[in-house]
Amino acid sequence: MAQKDRECPTIHSSNGAAHQDTPPCVLTIFGATGDLAKRKLLPALYNLMAQKLLPDEFVIVGYGRRPQDEGQFRDGFAEGIKEFARLDWDEAVWNKLKERIFYQQGAYNEAASFKTLQDRLDQLSKQFNAGPNRMFYMATPPDEFAPIIENLGQLRQGNNHADGWCRLIIEKPFGRDLASAHELNMLLGRYFNEDEVFRIDHYLGKETVQNILVLRFANAIWEPLWNNHYIDHVQIVVAEEVGVGRRAGYYESSGALRDMVVNHMMQLVSLVAMEPPVALTANAIRDEKVKVLRAIRKFSPEEMVKYTVRGQYEGYKQEEGVAPDSRTETYVAMKLWVDSWRFSGVPFYLRHGKDLPRRNTEIVVRWKDTPCVLFNDSCDKLKSNMLILRIQPNEGFALRANAKVPGSGNDIRDVRMDFDYSDAFGAEPPEAYERLLRDALIGDGTLFTRRDEAEAAWSIADTVLEGWKNAPAPFSYKPKTWGPAEADEFMAEDGRRWHEPGTASDATDS
Ligand code: BG6
């Protein structure tokens, strides 16, 4: 069908967001003296302001327990912006942002502090003409989430800004198991509607993650081949070069599964395996994603352990804040089955670790082999077709195909067709937090985790965690290697190998 003949019914699409003005609002950041605010949130707000994506009627209030001099509080962000913002430093932009930043000291568990906060927000809102809209960002340690929600909820009940909106953005970790995630959801549900709650998963804000849907559903060539008739297996690798460093205190009680797999990696699994949504709306997309999570095969905890390999890098136990006999995993490899019509029988291999050789996140879709009847002599040289989605760095994708080597004879070699974001579009993609903050401000929840998604992901992780309780301690691995040898054996048992991300090597060849 010619382009112009395509049917183009009215679609309720979140794409309109790009053209929507960000409304006036007062944004409160709980935990504003922490690392996240300095490294990610303020740089993202700076970038938004530099791109004129924030209105003049906008105020930022940092809230924290510690007393702070407001001037120093503001200046502290300047360093973070210079170091971490994607866009270059511009004094004029900073001055405009700076005069909109305020600090409010208070406790997280005292109603009186929240009443004082509310009065301050109202006063600042008048001063900047920012109106009744209120956004609250929870960037505190997770123990503070419940008291903050409770206090905001109480305040809200007593004082409903009928003509404005009130939204919450909640950082991860959203719970530490299914029960605690459910409890948090129940608490949120007591005071807020689901469309007022934005559970952040910054992977969803990455351009290349969003591109998975465009790649799959805006191109005719993939979908017919995107199923168990043709796909052999899928690998999702999230490798990090750094160890846990200063975050050991948090990490020790979390571990790789809770920190990365249950959220970021499960989101990647759902985007790869989901069906086309009926529209590009927040709920239509999340409806399809949650179906994938529900379709992941359930095992008993004991059985589930057989499909995982845990690792811990040598030296982890010596990090500050880590127990000398710690069993916390800094590496996890696992195999999942998505028992959907489309993916039944196709294994999904996930691996993630800290202190690996490189920082690389890649998704590899590997297709089944062609019959080897025509190229008998070169059969060993035929490589399976493979699509590598480079989530980061060098954002883009590559397709591997077989080609004839020029010359007489029928020699065959694999080649790559490569697409690189910055080459194609001449610009670095925006930071995840820029996109996510703005989406929340305009009320678009597409790139946030819905209540049922969070719980569905936890129900899988819970089984693994339960199984690990009675399993041997994690295998150790040397820093800057690809993890314990046991993870390679685990793949070898299936006749496969791990893809080594960030290289031209196509190690998935069996
Ligand atoms: C965070 C985890 O959610 O994601 C960190 O808590 C991890 O442990 C980080 O390092 C990785 O994010 P990115 O964007 O650098 O891949």
Side-chain angles (χ1 to χ4, degrees), residues 7-22:
E7 269 184 62
C8 204
T10 310
I11 291 176
H12 298 289
S13 155
S14 60
N15 291 343
H19 312 292
Q20 210 168 310
D21 285 338
T22 316

Side-chain angles (χ1 to χ4, degrees), residues 172 202-203 206 240 247 259-260 264 354 359 392:
K172 63 176 276 278
H202 78 278
Y203 265 58
K206 292 180 192 280
E240 292 195 274
R247 295 172 73 230
D259 186 50
M260 293 292 287
H264 309 323
K354 300 261 188 216
R359 175 175 180 260
Q392 62 190 21

Side-chain angles (χ1 to χ4, degrees), residues 82-144:
K82 282 181 188 155
E83 191 175 346
F84 301 111
R86 178 175 62 91
L87 301 176
D88 288 340
W89 177 256
D90 179 334
E91 202 72 29
V93 174
W94 167 240
N95 285 336
K96 191 171 170 193
L97 185 65
K98 179 178 167 172
E99 64 190 32
R100 287 169 170 72
I101 299 176
F102 299 88
Y103 184 73
Q104 178 70 32
Q105 186 207 344
Y108 293 125
N109 56 359
E110 278 174 19
S113 298
F114 278 72
K115 179 72 188 80
T116 312
L117 171 67
Q118 186 181 40
D119 294 343
R120 183 97 194 269
L121 300 185
D122 289 346
Q123 172 246 314
L124 288 168
S125 163
K126 273 203 195 93
Q127 188 180 328
F128 285 85
N129 208 14
N133 296 333
R134 302 285 181 266
M135 173 70 84
F136 296 96
Y137 197 117
M138 288 190 237
T140 61
D143 291 354
E144 312 291 1

Side-chain angles (χ1 to χ4, degrees), residues 40 171-172 201-203 206 238-240 242-244 247 250-251 254 258-260 263-264 352 354 359 361 392 432-433:
K40 298 286 183 190
E171 260 303 326
K172 63 176 276 278
D201 183 312
H202 78 278
Y203 265 58
K206 292 180 192 280
V238 180
E240 292 195 274
V242 290
V244 297
R247 295 172 73 230
Y250 145 76
Y251 199 87
S254 163
R258 287 188 173 99
D259 186 50
M260 293 292 287
N263 33 59
H264 309 323
H352 157 65
K354 300 261 188 216
R359 175 175 180 260
T361 298
Q392 62 190 21
Y433 277 92

